[in-house]
Amino acid sequence: MGSPEHAVAAGRLVPLRRPPLLSVVEGPFVPERASLDEVDRAWAALVRRVPRAFDGPMLHVLGTSRNGHGGVTIHCTPSSYRFHAVMHEGLDTGMRPLGGKAITFGPDGRVVMGRRGSGTLNYPGRWEFAPAGTMEPGISPADMILRERAEETGWRAAQPPAPRALLFDPVTRTWEVVFTIDAEPGDVQVEHWECAEVRAVAPGEWPGGLSPVARQMMPILEAERRARGR
């Protein structure tokens, strides 16, 4: 089983041909690198600085293993968001959350991008592929990304999301399952504090201020476009 730290060093991106399997073991994950008192102090400081920060359940990745035929098993355990968020106060507890991102294609081949809100912890003000979110216990990665699509972009999925890769973001220290989705614009403009602006752009005409993980996902986008003959 590979470790997240190894993935950072290797810059690992694992192509997927089928949905990842989640192997969830009993938890919760409690950090050994820092005491709970240290976590509580760092969390209190973070909330004072970023009032919108809130705790909640999420999955911590213990490691990953290929399971053949273009698949991967993600070994994880339940934990709490605060154990990860406190890294923004300089406290690395060793928590590596599982998240999901999608490259959303419109009917004209344009790609949906979202600009992160100024009050977000990760990549504030930067542009990313939309939607994106963090996995919670009890929900599949595909269902999570569909929920985030509705909340953040308002676009309607025309097809189920297709898993394309598993990557590790060394900036946010998160594992990310990357999907592609074919979608159509919704009838209602949604407002979401984490996604300040949504824009459909032609590939190559990217807005300024792309996040590092958006650049990390570009090979996935290009492989998808080649497969679609675009």
Side-chain angles (χ1 to χ4, degrees):
M1 180 166 26
S3 70
E5 281 70 18
H6 172 73
V8 172
R12 187 176 181 186
L13 188 152
V14 181
L16 297 177
R17 291 197 297 271
R18 55 192 177 92
L21 299 177
L22 299 189
S23 176
V24 182
V25 302
E26 290 186 6
F29 165 81
V30 178
E32 297 180 353
R33 295 185 183 181
S35 70
L36 294 181
D37 285 341
E38 288 177 301
V39 171
D40 287 344
R41 286 194 295 270
W43 174 253
L46 176 66
V47 171
R48 286 194 297 271
R49 184 169 60 85
V50 186
R52 280 187 177 273
F54 61 94
D55 203 359
M58 62 194 327
L59 291 174
H60 162 63
V61 176
L62 301 168
T64 66
S65 57
R66 295 177 184 270
N67 57 28
H69 305 292
V72 67
T73 299
I74 304 171
H75 307 272
C76 45
T77 190
S79 192
S80 297
Y81 175 71
R82 67 170 58 200
F83 292 139
H84 176 64
V86 292
M87 77 172 191
H88 294 281
E89 296 299 312
L91 185 62
D92 183 6
T93 66
M95 184 177 178
R96 303 295 183 253
L98 179 62
K101 297 185 180 297
I103 299 172
T104 303
F105 289 94
D108 58 359
R110 291 188 298 169
V111 178
V112 179
M113 305 292 291
R115 181 170 58 81
R116 302 280 292 169
S118 60
T120 57
L121 290 176
N122 297 320
Y123 302 129
R126 296 289 193 95
W127 286 89
E128 287 193 319
F129 294 108
T134 303
M135 303 291 180
E136 300 173 7
I139 183 170
S140 73
D143 287 342
M144 184 282 294
I145 208 68
L146 286 174
R147 182 187 68 188
E148 295 295 325
R149 169 203 49 79
E151 293 178 355
E152 292 185 0
T153 71
W155 282 54
R156 301 187 303 269
Q159 299 288 339
R164 296 304 186 214
L166 174 69
L167 62 79
F168 186 80
D169 181 347
V171 177
T172 62
R173 303 170 196 171
T174 58
W175 287 90
E176 304 287 349
V177 180
V178 181
F179 295 87
T180 58
I181 306 177
D182 289 294
E184 299 176 352
D187 298 325
V188 179
Q189 182 69 33
V190 300
E191 294 184 4
H192 194 280
W193 70 273
E194 288 184 302
C195 195
E197 181 182 354
V198 176
R199 186 187 302 174
V201 302
E205 298 179 2
W206 310 117
L210 287 180
S211 70
V213 74
R215 298 186 183 280
Q216 194 176 352
M217 291 167 60
M218 286 297 177
I220 305 170
L221 168 68
E222 293 306 319
E224 183 71 15
R225 292 185 65 210
R226 286 193 297 270
R228 294 169 177 236
R230 292 177 176 173

